[in-house]
Structures are given as structure tokens and as C-alpha cells.
Amino acid sequence: MAEKGRSEYRVDQQPAFVLHTYPWRETSLIVEFFTRDYGRIPLVARGAKRPMSQYRGLLNPFCPLAVSYSGKGEVKNLTRCEWYGTIPMNERVLMSAFYINELLVRLLPRGEPEPALFTIYYDTLKKLAVEKDYLIPLRYFERDFLKVLGYALPSGPFPAKHYRFVRGDFVANDNTAFEGSGISGSTLEALSSNTLQSGTQEWEARMLMRDLIRYYLEDAPLNTRRILNELNKL
């Protein structure tokens, strides 16, 4: 619940996840939260780096939290943080989960409520933790996130054999071989209807999402993708 007074704005018990933290001064952190009712917000966790801080061990990603905060201006003060468990991530999926967080930090505007996306995010984290083929829920999250941002995929039908994403639009191409990345009509249909299969369809969807996200990031690189590429070279 939010309360507005003459001096400050206060929110209590807001469901949230930590997306990223930044050091602030000697003992504090600025924490980027993704909240259910207020979207992405930055909060100052004062004294969070002190050994006896009330926030010690709480401000970690992928843990459902309830946060309370107050203050003026865009960056307000975290006043309370309650822990509601954790979503265990093994090494195989951890980088994918950090990738999702980076997408939210880079593309989701601050202060825009997205309760439906919050639910999708929470559900995706749980699926990453338990599903053997975790890449498919990752593709669905990318699709749904782009839709929230106003970049929805075409709804179909997809009569052509192949499509290409060119300068912000989909272009049909019935040739079986063509330059650049492409996606089959059947894969686009599967991606739209939640029937994506592992293997070729997932790979085509992954390449498409990579092109789409790179386009909307204006070719700015993602740190998680760079780190993953470096790890794959070891």
C-alpha cells in the first residue's frame, strides 16, 4: 500500500525481486528492484554493507521479497526487507537468470507498473530452476517481455516457409537458403502458440530473439552474453 504525505512517499510490504545492486558511499547500496505494483525502482539500502546490517544476506537476486520504502525523489530509502524463500538455481541456468535480470534493467523503464510481467518473471524463474529444457521458457520470456515493451511478434498465420527480421520488420522469404538469420514459419507459429520444441525450433527462436533484442538495444552489448561467451572459450 502506498501513502503520500506532504513530506514523503511511503510503500509497505511490496512484493519484489532484486535485479542488480550498486555500491553507494562506504557502507550502502543502491538496489534495483522489480516490484509487482510499481515496476522497476531504485532504492538506497543504507548501511547494507555493514556486518550487522538488517539487510545482510537478503539483497540477493532470485529471492522473493517484500520491501517497504519511503522518501522523496526518484531514489527512495529502503526501510524494511522481508525474505520469502529462494529459487535455487544451479550453475547450468544461473547465467540465463542473470540474463533475464539484465534485460529488465536495460529495457524496462523505471516506475512503470507491470504486474503481469512480474508474474511472468516469477514463473519463468521457477521454470528455469526445475525444467530440464530450460531454454524454451527462456524464449517465451523474451517473447512476452518484448510484447510488454510494445514489440510484439506477428500473430500469424505464417504461410511462408521462412522469414527474416529486417530493420524492425518481418520479411517473408520462401527460399530454403538465404543470407543472414532467419526463422521458419512453423517455428514462428510454435513460438506464438507455446508449442516450441527443443532442437531446431528452439535454436531458430533463439537466433530471432537475439536479433530482436540487439535491434531494440541499438546494438549495445549485453554483459551476460559476453561473460557466457568467455566462459565457453575456457
Side-chain angles (χ1 to χ4, degrees):
M1 179 180 294
E3 296 182 8
K4 287 186 178 181
R6 290 184 177 180
S7 59
E8 67 177 23
Y9 185 93
R10 189 178 73 190
V11 172
D12 293 320
Q13 295 285 298
Q14 177 62 207
F17 283 90
V18 171
L19 296 178
H20 193 60
T21 61
Y22 311 86
W24 189 69
R25 296 183 177 175
E26 292 184 2
T27 62
S28 301
L29 295 171
I30 293 179
V31 186
E32 289 278 354
F33 285 102
F34 184 32
T35 67
R36 184 188 63 194
D37 299 322
Y38 302 95
R40 182 169 71 91
I41 59 170
L43 299 176
V44 176
R46 297 185 182 276
K49 293 191 286 185
R50 290 175 179 158
M52 301 302 292
S53 170
Q54 63 171 315
Y55 306 122
R56 193 77 173 178
L58 294 177
L59 301 176
N60 297 315
F62 321 128
C63 297
L65 303 170
V67 299
S68 301
Y69 58 93
S70 63
K72 303 176 183 179
E74 182 183 14
V75 183
K76 298 176 176 60
N77 295 312
L78 181 66
T79 57
R80 188 174 181 181
C81 182
E82 298 178 49
W83 183 77
Y84 285 93
T86 188
I87 301 174
M89 296 283 176
N90 60 42
E91 294 180 357
R92 188 170 64 99
V93 302
L94 190 59
M95 191 57 66
S96 294
F98 277 116
Y99 162 73
I100 289 175
N101 280 9
E102 186 175 8
L103 287 183
L104 291 172
V105 171
R106 297 281 293 275
L107 287 171
L108 185 66
R110 281 177 171 172
E112 293 192 6
E114 295 290 353
L117 180 61
F118 184 88
T119 299
I120 292 168
Y121 172 81
Y122 194 177
D123 289 344
T124 300
L125 291 183
K126 290 185 286 188
K127 289 176 182 177
L128 290 179
V130 300
E131 292 194 11
K132 183 177 180 180
D133 194 352
Y134 66 94
L135 294 174
I136 289 178
L138 190 60
R139 302 288 82 81
Y140 292 154
F141 176 84
E142 291 169 327
R143 176 203 63 191
D144 294 340
F145 180 45
L146 289 174
K147 182 178 180 180
V148 166
L149 296 177
Y151 309 136
L153 296 178
S155 58
F158 304 100
K161 291 181 179 179
H162 293 88
Y163 293 82
R164 292 179 62 192
F165 180 73
V166 181
R167 293 187 295 276
D169 200 4
F170 284 87
V171 178
N173 188 320
D174 279 323
N175 296 326
T176 57
F178 48 85
E179 294 182 1
S181 61
I183 186 169
S184 67
S186 60
T187 297
L188 271 176
E189 187 71 44
L191 183 59
S192 299
S193 60
N194 287 352
T195 57
L196 199 66
Q197 300 295 311
S198 59
T200 300
Q201 282 194 344
E202 188 281 322
W203 184 85
E204 286 186 352
R206 190 191 321 173
M207 295 301 103
L208 172 66
M209 290 302 170
R210 185 170 297 182
D211 285 348
L212 286 166
I213 290 167
R214 182 169 59 239
Y215 175 80
Y216 293 120
L217 282 172
E218 298 179 346
D219 290 325
L222 288 165
N223 290 326
T224 45
R225 187 163 290 158
R226 175 184 56 79
I227 293 170
L228 185 59
N229 289 336
E230 291 175 356
L231 289 174
N232 288 335
K233 294 177 182 178
L234 296 178

